[in-house]
Amino acid sequence: METSNLSSGGDFILLGFSDRPKLETILFFINTVFYLLAVAGNSTIIFLSLVDPRLHLPMYFFLCNLSLLDLCYTTSSVPQMLVHLWGPRKTITYVGCVVQLFAFLSVGGTECILLSVMAYDRFVAVCKPLHYLAVMHPRLCLQLAAFAWLSGIANSVLMSPLTMSLGRCGQRRINHFVCEMPALIRISCVDASRVEGLAFFLAIPIVLVPLAMILVSYGYIAAAVARIRSAAGRRKAFNTCSSHMAVVSLFYSSIIYMYMQPGNVASQDQGKFLTLFYCLATPTLNPFIYTLRNKDVQGAVRKVLGKDCGVCGAGAR
């Protein structure tokens, strides 16, 4: 496989939305607000999970990991994007591009597996409530989280060098606002079918298998909920799982479209807006989705603010 004259250095030009100057100004202010909300929301989840004993449960341990993933993802891409949206400077260093690509692939792979782990956690909570803490013991939780992180990083360690080694024949202009794999494949001047084929193959254990596990877990949960006779019991089970189902829907709807098809097939404009949604909307919404209906987290917030009523914390588990 050819190696381009940029494989050892040189800046890239991220075109982003430069063909729409008015849209850039609008996106700058919108993205700034979303980024600040994402950082504040996910940092709050991590802080509360660490300081409040009521949140020292497997569900919140995995939620803390999800928030950390979202922080890593947004911080690796959004500040650079805001600089490009605000002014004429559109360049990113070779090292910066590599860091973005590595972060995107690592976080995406890790989140796929982590969401399947969280689905299993919800399955145990609903289907085996009396054995929940015995099954989801701290050692198993650490092992599952470590497996998710290591799998995502391993995927990135393999795919990042292969993507960056594709010959580009001096092409430095990337029609995107971040260095992500489909955009980098598009500027290659050599046959990238082997890299695309490997990416599609790795998507099976990284994306599709976790998705199948999520569907199986919720199949069992649905069957268990159907056997609950009381409306209150069914409502509690639904509240236990609804937040996770919403996050899974947001995540997989964008990630499958972006990475489960060859880079030259997807519409470039669609790819930009989907990546923008994945970069900002999902990390911003996740903390709100998990906290709006969660009495444990609401109670932890009131405690930190000095408004704890003393009886809060009987939230949905």
Side-chain angles (χ1 to χ4, degrees):
M1 189 179 294
E2 266 181 66
T3 303
S4 78
N5 58 356
L6 281 173
S7 59
S8 60
D11 292 348
F12 289 99
I13 300 171
L14 293 171
L15 299 178
F17 301 96
S18 56
D19 58 334
R20 305 174 189 178
K22 293 183 179 179
L23 180 61
E24 281 192 320
T25 303
I26 296 171
L27 286 176
F28 174 81
F29 290 105
I30 293 175
N31 292 351
T32 299
V33 172
F34 269 78
Y35 178 60
L36 294 176
L37 288 173
V39 171
N42 287 289
S43 298
T44 300
I45 292 291
I46 294 172
F47 173 74
L48 293 176
S49 298
L50 293 174
V51 301
D52 197 304
R54 290 172 294 188
L55 302 186
H56 293 174
L57 293 170
M59 173 183 174
Y60 302 107
F61 170 74
F62 295 127
L63 178 57
C64 185
N65 276 266
L66 181 64
S67 293
L68 180 58
L69 281 172
D70 286 340
L71 282 176
C72 292
Y73 190 73
T74 54
T75 304
S76 68
S77 59
V78 176
Q80 176 85 50
M81 178 179 62
L82 292 176
V83 170
H84 291 174
L85 289 173
W86 181 251
R89 181 178 174 272
K90 308 294 182 184
T91 59
I92 183 173
T93 64
Y94 180 86
V95 173
C97 191
V98 171
V99 170
Q100 278 193 353
L101 177 63
F102 186 87
F104 273 39
L105 292 175
S106 296
V107 170
T110 302
E111 191 160 342
C112 285
I113 297 174
L114 183 64
L115 288 175
S116 69
V117 170
M118 294 173 76
Y120 175 71
D121 172 71
R122 297 298 82 205
F123 158 74
V124 177
V126 173
C127 299
K128 301 181 180 181
L130 299 180
H131 304 286
Y132 177 64
L133 293 179
V135 174
M136 301 302 296
H137 53 83
R139 183 179 177 183
L140 177 63
C141 292
L142 285 172
Q143 290 172 339
L144 292 173
F147 176 75
W149 282 91
L150 291 175
S151 297
I153 292 172
N155 175 60
S156 187
V157 166
L158 178 60
M159 292 306 304
S160 296
L162 289 176
T163 303
M164 296 304 296
S165 69
L166 288 171
R168 290 179 288 274
C169 303
Q171 174 65 268
R172 301 189 302 126
R173 298 164 67 86
I174 302 174
N175 190 14
H176 215 298
F177 58 86
V178 291
C179 290
E180 54 129 23
M181 190 170 67
L184 287 166
I185 288 176
R186 287 192 193 102
I187 66 170
S188 171
C189 63
V190 298
D191 182 14
S193 58
R194 284 185 292 177
V195 174
E196 291 180 325
L198 180 60
F200 189 87
F201 176 77
L202 290 176
I204 296 174
I206 295 293
V207 179
L208 295 184
V209 170
L211 178 58
M213 294 175 65
I214 291 171
L215 295 176
V216 169
S217 295
Y218 277 106
Y220 280 106
I221 289 172
V225 171
R227 293 194 295 268
I228 299 176
R229 295 184 178 181
S230 69
R234 287 194 296 270
R235 192 181 308 113
K236 182 178 180 180
F238 176 77
N239 289 340
T240 299
C241 305
S242 58
S243 299
H244 182 257
M245 288 189 291
V247 170
V248 168
S249 300
L250 285 172
F251 176 78
Y252 271 98
S253 61
S254 56
I255 202 73
I256 289 179
Y257 184 90
M258 286 193 295
Y259 291 103
M260 289 299 290
Q261 57 183 315
N264 59 350
V265 171
S267 164
Q268 295 188 21
D269 283 339
Q270 285 180 338
K272 290 178 188 178
F273 284 105
L274 272 174
T275 304
L276 190 61
F277 179 84
Y278 180 54
C279 277
L280 276 173
T282 303
T284 303
L285 291 173
N286 283 354
F288 292 99
I289 290 172
Y290 273 105
T291 58
L292 286 178
R293 295 170 61 89
N294 190 297
K295 294 181 181 179
D296 283 344
V297 178
Q298 293 170 2
V301 172
R302 284 193 291 268
K303 181 179 179 181
V304 169
L305 296 177
K307 299 178 181 180
D308 190 13
C309 61
V311 295
C312 305
R317 291 191 185 124

